[in-house]
Amino acid sequence: MKSITSRDNPLYKEYKHLATSAQALRKAGRSLLDGVHLCQAYFQHHGVPQCCIVAESSLHHPEVAAILANIEQGAVQCICLPDVLYKALSQVEHGVGLMFVIATPASQLPPALAASSVVLDNLQDPGNLGSILRSAAGAGIRNVFCSPGTASAWSPKVMRAGMGAHFLLNIFENVDLAELLGSASIPVLATSSHTSLSIYQTDLSKDVAWLFGHEGQGVSPDLMAMASKTVTIPQQAAIESLNVAASAAICFFEQVRQQLGKAG
C-alpha cells in the first residue's frame, strides 16, 4: 500500500480534483464511492476498483481490513492518507474512511423499451433520484433511463441515497426520452392528479415503464402525451401531492404485489 502524506503529491492532487469537480469526474469517466457500504456493494457485484483510498485511522477497522485483504491480492492501487488529507476528499461526515475510485459503469442502450423500467424526465433532486434507484432495485426493476436534464446518477449524493442500488441496475443517462418512448412495446404509465384511474385498478401484472418528472413541473407535456395511461395514487384531499420518490416506491411495489399475486 502506498502512503501519501503531502498535499502536493501529484496523485493526491489528481484525486482531490476528481473529488471536488463533478465535471472532472464525468470527463474522466470515473466515480467515487465514499464509505464502507458503497465499497462493499461494488466489490460484491463488480469486483475490484481502479483504486482504493483509505484513511490512516481506518486501516484496522474490521470491515475496511476485510476489504483490503481481498483487494490487495489483485493488481489494484491502494493509497493510505493521513486523516486530514482524506477528509479533504470525502463528503461523508463521521464516516469510516474508505473510498473506491471506479470507472463509471456504462450499459449499452437497448434497441427498444421492452422490459419493466423507470423513465425520469428532468428529475432534479439527488436524494429523490437515489431513493428511486433504491426502490427500483428493491422491486426488481433493472433499467433506469434518465433525460439530459436529470441529476447525475453517479454523483456522490445520489450514490449515498441509493445505498448500493446502482450496482443492481442498468442506468442510462442523457437519453432521448421521446425516441425511447416511441420504441416502447410495453405500456408507459405516468402518475397524475388529474385522472380517476387508480394504480390499484390498473393491471400491473406484466412489464410496464414508469414515467416520472421534475419535482415541481412534473413530466413535460410532450412526453406525457406519449404515456399509454395516466394513473393516480389515492390519498386524502387535504394533503398535497406525494413526493416523487414516495410515489415511485408505491407504484413499484404495487406492481410487485400484483405480480406475486399472479404467480401465486
Side-chain angles (χ1 to χ4, degrees):
M1 179 178 292
K2 180 181 177 66
S3 179
I4 294 177
T5 58
S6 170
R7 297 181 187 274
D8 296 323
N9 180 281
L11 189 58
Y12 177 75
K13 290 170 75 173
E14 176 189 348
Y15 287 133
K16 185 175 181 183
H17 181 54
L18 292 175
T20 55
S21 170
Q23 183 178 3
L25 279 173
R26 285 194 297 271
K27 186 175 180 180
R30 291 167 141 186
S31 295
L32 301 182
L33 311 184
D34 198 348
V36 169
H37 181 82
L38 281 177
C39 293
Q40 286 175 330
Y42 181 85
F43 187 77
Q44 178 184 352
H45 296 289
H46 289 273
V48 296
Q50 291 182 340
C51 177
C52 175
I53 303 172
V54 60
E56 192 172 21
S57 64
S58 298
L59 277 172
H60 301 295
H61 185 282
E63 291 175 303
V64 173
I67 291 173
L68 292 177
N70 284 293
I71 282 181
E72 290 183 318
Q73 296 174 11
V76 176
Q77 183 181 55
C78 291
I79 298 170
C80 180
L81 299 176
D83 286 15
V84 66
L85 294 190
Y86 183 90
K87 287 177 181 177
L89 303 183
S90 175
Q91 296 184 16
V92 178
E93 293 186 16
H94 313 301
V96 177
L98 181 68
M99 184 180 295
F100 279 2
V101 182
I102 66 168
T104 302
S107 301
Q108 185 174 0
L109 195 68
L113 185 56
S116 281
S117 303
V118 185
V119 180
L120 301 175
D121 175 31
N122 207 28
L123 195 75
Q124 297 291 293
D125 184 79
N128 282 336
L129 178 53
S131 295
I132 288 174
L133 297 180
R134 189 176 180 185
S135 294
I141 298 171
R142 290 292 170 260
N143 292 335
V144 180
F145 301 91
C146 303
S147 72
T150 294
S152 172
W154 296 94
S155 72
K157 288 183 179 179
V158 175
M159 284 194 289
R160 287 199 298 276
M163 294 291 287
H166 287 68
F167 312 124
L168 296 170
L169 298 166
N170 301 313
I171 301 172
F172 307 95
E173 296 192 281
N174 299 310
V175 177
D176 182 331
L177 297 189
E179 184 176 336
L180 176 74
L181 296 183
S183 76
S185 60
I186 57 175
V188 177
L189 304 184
T191 58
S192 171
S193 58
H194 305 296
T195 183
S196 59
L197 180 63
S198 161
I199 60 166
Y200 306 117
Q201 299 168 323
T202 306
D203 183 4
L204 304 176
S205 61
K206 297 180 182 178
D207 286 354
V208 301
W210 293 102
L211 176 60
F212 298 100
H214 184 278
E215 286 84 352
Q217 300 164 10
V219 175
S220 70
D222 289 348
L223 293 179
M224 184 66 86
M226 298 183 75
S228 309
K229 291 180 181 178
T230 56
V231 295
T232 189
I233 300 170
Q235 63 182 81
Q236 295 296 317
I239 301 297
E240 290 189 21
S241 60
L242 293 170
N243 168 281
V244 64
S247 296
I250 291 169
C251 292
F252 300 161
F253 286 98
E254 172 59 17
Q255 184 180 2
V256 170
R257 187 192 69 80
Q258 290 192 25
Q259 290 175 341
L260 289 175
K262 185 176 180 180

